[in-house]
Amino acid sequence: MYDDVLFEQRLNEFKPEPLITPIETNAEVLEIPMVKEDSNNIDLAKANYLNVLDNEEIKKASEDLIREYGVGTCGPRAFYGTTDIHLELEECLAKFLHMEESIVYSYGFVAISSSIAAYCKKSDIIFVDEHANFPIHQGLIAAKSKVVKFAHNDPKDLKRKLLQVAENEKRKSRKFLIIEGISWATGKLCPLPDFIEVAEEFKMRVFLEESYSFGVFGATGRGLTEYFSIDPTRIDMIFGTLEGAIGSIGGFCAGSNLTIEHQRLSGSGYIFSASLPTYLVKVVLKSLELIGDKPKQLAELAKTFHQFLEECKFHVESHPEAPFKLITATPKSDEIKIYQHCKENGVHFIHNDNGLMINLNINLLQEKDKLDRIYRVLKGASELIN
Amino acid sequence: GYVRSLREESVKKCRILKESFEPPTLLTAALTHISFYILMFLGYLSQTLFPPKIVKEKNRDGYPSLFDRFASFYSRYVYRRIRDCWNYPICSVPGNEVVLKDRVTNDNGWTFEFVGSKTKCLNLASYNYLGFAENSGPCAEAAIDSIYKYGVTTGGTRQQYGTCDLHVELEKLTAEFLGVEDAITFGMGFATNALNIPALLTPGCLVISDEKNHASLILGIRLPGATVRVFKHNDVKHLEQILRENIYNGQPNQPQGEYKPWKKILIVVEGIYSMEGTIVRLPEIIALKKKYKAYLYLDEAHSIGAMGKHGRGIVDYFGCDPKDIDILMGTFTKSFGSAGGYIAGSKELITFLRQNSFASKHAWAMAPPVAAQIIAVLKILMGRDGTNEGQKRIETLARNTRYFRQRLEQMSIIIHGNEDSPVVPILVYLYSKIAAMVRMLIKEKIATVGVGYPATPLMEGRIRICLSAAHTKEQLDYALQVIEKVADELGLKYSRKPINPNPVEYDKIKVYEE
């Protein structure tokens, strides 16, 4: 029971905040369009490491598939949205990664956050890197677990934090470790063997996120498990987006039968969403089929590029073999100078909160004059700030 | 019985909503409960007598278990028995007919093997409301052309070199189609809800959401830490009661019990609810939101394209003003035969989202062929391709819906939802009847979807049929004939309402009468 007069007064005085905070009118360009590659412009902004997006065979395969299955699948996986191509991809991914089973999501971001939320509950403790990427953070919020951050790529700090937690907890809780193969924020390679050692000592589940290392590291592109020669069954789940080297859209998780079957009934981004359009599934299949020795070529290009950048006295955060180069500069205004200089000279790459991100492409190995031009422009930029 | 609702006050036209939610008899409810307990008991018995094959994980001795026991028990001993009704693989375009890849299980549902043959079935399961899931025709050609022009994907996020002309064109067309100022599109419908609602809410905001909202809406509402109140499904009186309570009481747990009003109040509803087949009472909710100064978020995942005289969704169906709704959201997966989602509204809102949406910053842009398909479909729906194909499809869908529903009611089968909703849930109640009906229908070459716990309440198992403009009258008649036969065999004629004895004539059905 309540007072009508008071209610009317409160209703009249109720001034809700505006739905959105108003934006300043002189904000910079909100959406940057694709670079049109021509004689004056070189595109180093697209994530096209193995040159999948320009491959004619893949484009023809996509066309053939649209002529057979249409574009959309019009249903979630459980309700006739599963095509035989989806099943083929899941089998192929599992075999490629030497895991028992894999599951494919229709969006990379959702694959990462849904899979974390499917396993981690309120009573668990999750250890993540301090620079973990945004989808992982969303997954952690959705999971409502307790989160402990450790220093970037530092297994010793992880061990310290683990001992602290183990001392202070009254009841033994489940512990998870989420690490990125190549960090999205810094491009550094994670010391996987050391992390796994710590995890096995404390009986922690290991989830390895391989968006930028899948298709890049290892002789056949299998990722960090091949690069460090680690038995994949020591890792509970390898997951990531298919949007990096593979050049499609979507995400995947791979692990043991038990682990992945669980997601088919509790991964909300899997159950409550339409399945990935069939032609994008075919792009992944074809991309894996044609992978050949492209990872090795990319590693060569990455190392040479890294060396060149260091010679120009740029501060390069990323690992020499990482598929993208991350350059930072202090003060921040120098980064803007480099970015503008290169853009004016026709070399386009990404400038975000982490720094300057240059996405490599293996076809630069064939197009020597393009590569030389990029080197010239970057050298010019480095002279600007030094 | 029937629920009638008349819109009040300031709204122009008048539409009577005919919805029905006939409850089952006491006997049926009791039988359903008992059958479920028997299933659970048998499950526990099986678990003790027959432990599953895959029990141990490799390299994981001494680790705490990864899954909770009830979830694995349910999945292995209850769900497994009827697992073959779901995840059926197809090998064709999901049009009005779909080709299923036959499979058998030789070990009671643990694993499946393909037989090698394929069966062509009538497709009453896919979300193909306007029949645009086609592998030939102007839409497919547009999609294929865009592969060669822009590539299979754009390779980046919208904010960082991932935007192409197709996105700009699509957003303009979508805004025009809906009658609002601007729109923004995303690569996945689920992500559109889960990643954009957090950008609009902070702790201190109140969200009032319908009981039966979709999982993506619930996730999007939970993430930012705002307070959530749930109102009974489509119950406008309960919604009003909650609004009044919360404006009166303000935020809870304030120091010294002082009054602090909510920062903002957001009402979240869907256009058509996909499990119930109900249509939201939009005019009444708009009147409420204006009276109590709340904001309204309308998720038209299933209704865009499928409802309304011009296919413009629920807003068109009721003749409301799209500018009254603060945030219009929808997906392109259902009526457009493609993938992805959009949000539309005022230019201010969309500019804000372009800058702050998590999806624009961190998730990949919509692929060009996907966007090209939607543009082609929008042009057809708006009549810009020079034909009246769009209008024809919209009318065919409306006619199919009314015809199918009226014929089903004549058979004394209980169906839920609004008479104009192309989503038709046939109530079967018992868990085992879901499986029996789905299997029998597949034997007769009809593909349908069975839904049970936990997607629906425990005692309300159902078969959900999605009608399409691509279905011909002959196909619908065949389906109705088979459903009647199965209903007789399985005892599904639960309805006790009086039946209209006059035969339903397809061509004489009036759609969109004023």
Side-chain angles (χ1 to χ4, degrees), chain B residues 85-133:
Chain B
C85 302
W86 290 282
N87 294 298
Y88 224 112
I90 65 176
C91 35
S92 75
V93 62
N96 60 354
E97 286 187 325
V98 69
V99 177
L100 301 180
K101 207 164 170 190
D102 298 329
R103 59 181 187 178
V104 286
T105 169
N106 296 323
D107 51 3
N108 290 320
W110 287 106
T111 57
F112 290 100
E113 274 157 24
F114 289 121
V115 179
S117 59
K118 301 182 184 174
T119 324
K120 193 176 228 191
C121 296
L122 175 61
N123 188 359
L124 293 179
S126 295
Y127 301 138
N128 182 21
Y129 300 128
L130 289 176
F132 280 113

Side-chain angles (χ1 to χ4, degrees), chain A residues 167-214:
Chain A
E167 254 179 50
N168 295 333
E169 63 176 358
K170 298 182 197 89
R171 232 170 37 131
K172 201 152 191 285
S173 57
R174 281 197 313 190
K175 299 180 185 56
F176 293 89
L177 172 66
I178 303 181
I179 39 178
E180 297 169 74
I182 287 276
S183 168
W184 290 29
T186 63
K188 289 200 177 23
L189 182 67
C190 103
L192 189 60
D194 303 324
F195 274 119
I196 294 190
E197 235 180 79
V198 176
E200 285 177 343
E201 190 188 325
F202 287 86
K203 305 250 188 277
M204 271 200 322
R205 302 270 178 184
V206 180
F207 291 166
L208 176 63
E209 193 270 336
E210 288 220 76
S211 303
Y212 285 110
S213 48
F214 182 58

Side-chain angles (χ1 to χ4, degrees), chain B residues 275-488:
Chain B
M275 287 301 156
E276 310 292 322
T278 36
I279 293 182
V280 67
R281 289 173 143 61
L282 191 62
E284 294 168 55
I285 295 185
I286 291 183
L288 270 186
K289 110 168 171 97
K290 284 183 177 162
K291 183 170 172 192
Y292 295 100
K293 303 184 197 173
Y295 299 108
L296 181 58
Y297 184 105
L298 178 65
D299 175 338
E300 292 211 76
H302 285 265
S303 48
I304 189 70
M307 302 289 300
K309 195 162 172 197
H310 304 284
R312 291 165 201 227
I314 290 292
V315 177
D316 187 13
Y317 179 73
F318 283 112
C320 296
D321 182 3
K323 298 200 172 46
D324 279 337
I325 302 165
D326 303 284
I327 309 156
L328 281 161
M329 177 264 170
T331 63
F332 295 120
T333 329
K334 282 97 186 177
S335 310
F336 295 81
S338 186
Y342 68 86
I343 290 192
S346 66
K347 192 141 186 85
E348 236 186 2
L349 168 73
I350 301 300
T351 319
F352 175 82
L353 284 177
R354 282 193 209 285
Q355 205 175 47
N356 295 305
S357 156
F358 301 158
S360 290
K361 279 195 202 168
H362 304 275
W364 253 227
M366 192 191 259
V370 167
Q373 157 100 358
I374 306 167
I375 293 176
V377 170
L378 276 173
K379 286 195 178 141
I380 295 180
L381 285 182
M382 297 203 277
R384 300 241 175 118
D385 62 330
T387 68
N388 68 340
E389 176 75 19
Q391 203 51 39
K392 242 180 28 194
R393 288 186 192 229
I394 296 170
E395 274 172 25
T396 314
L397 175 64
R399 180 159 306 189
N400 283 353
T401 307
R402 290 245 174 127
Y403 177 68
F404 200 78
R405 279 178 169 266
Q406 283 172 16
R407 283 283 304 270
L408 274 181
E409 285 184 342
Q410 270 188 339
M411 295 179 202
S412 296
I413 294 179
I414 297 188
I415 51 176
H416 275 191
N418 192 295
E419 62 164 357
D420 282 324
S421 137
V423 175
V424 186
I426 299 178
L427 272 286
V428 300
Y429 300 106
L430 277 85
Y431 213 66
S432 40
K433 286 197 186 180
I434 304 174
M437 188 160 182
V438 171
R439 287 174 185 154
M440 283 176 136
L441 286 174
I442 287 194
K443 239 197 286 188
E444 302 283 344
K445 301 211 181 18
I446 299 183
T448 52
V449 155
V451 202
Y453 180 77
T456 61
L458 190 55
M459 298 307 140
E460 289 180 19
R462 62 198 65 188
I463 304 289
R464 187 191 64 181
I465 295 189
C466 288
L467 297 167
S468 162
H471 288 140
T472 61
K473 178 172 182 298
E474 290 74 35
Q475 288 173 327
L476 291 179
D477 285 334
Y478 173 68
L480 287 162
Q481 188 193 349
V482 173
I483 290 177
E484 176 142 41
K485 194 173 84 165
V486 172
D488 273 328

Side-chain angles (χ1 to χ4, degrees), chain A residues 135-243:
Chain A
I136 292 182
H137 274 123
Q138 292 295 99
L140 295 174
I141 301 176
K144 298 196 228 184
S145 317
K146 179 157 181 285
V147 177
V148 176
K149 296 203 176 149
F150 57 86
H152 189 50
N153 279 345
D154 187 352
K156 294 205 185 60
D157 193 44
L158 170 63
K159 193 162 180 179
R160 264 197 298 269
K161 298 256 165 39
L162 264 168
L163 287 167
Q164 248 177 359
V165 164
E167 254 179 50
N168 295 333
E169 63 176 358
K170 298 182 197 89
R171 232 170 37 131
K172 201 152 191 285
S173 57
R174 281 197 313 190
K175 299 180 185 56
F176 293 89
L177 172 66
I178 303 181
I179 39 178
E180 297 169 74
I182 287 276
S183 168
W184 290 29
T186 63
K188 289 200 177 23
L189 182 67
C190 103
L192 189 60
D194 303 324
F195 274 119
I196 294 190
E197 235 180 79
V198 176
E200 285 177 343
E201 190 188 325
F202 287 86
K203 305 250 188 277
M204 271 200 322
R205 302 270 178 184
V206 180
F207 291 166
L208 176 63
E209 193 270 336
E210 288 220 76
S211 303
Y212 285 110
S213 48
F214 182 58
V216 174
F217 281 85
T220 60
R222 201 152 45 90
L224 293 192
T225 43
E226 190 178 18
Y227 187 74
F228 287 114
S229 305
I230 294 178
D231 176 14
T233 54
R234 291 171 77 188
I235 302 178
D236 287 85
M237 184 169 78
I238 296 180
F239 64 127
T241 67
L242 292 166
E243 294 159 2

Side-chain angles (χ1 to χ4, degrees), chain A residues 85-104:
Chain A
I85 315 265
H86 285 94
L87 295 176
E88 202 187 316
L89 175 61
E90 291 187 345
E91 236 181 81
C92 178
L93 270 177
K95 221 165 71 175
F96 189 78
L97 286 167
H98 294 224
M99 288 287 207
E100 285 177 15
E101 198 172 330
S102 78
I103 182 175
V104 168

Side-chain angles (χ1 to χ4, degrees), chain B residues 154-175:
Chain B
T154 56
T157 62
R158 285 298 294 272
Q159 287 189 353
Q160 299 285 3
Y161 299 95
T163 304
C164 70
D165 320 330
L166 285 177
H167 293 133
V168 178
E169 192 186 342
L170 174 59
E171 289 170 3
K172 229 168 60 169
L173 265 180
T174 310

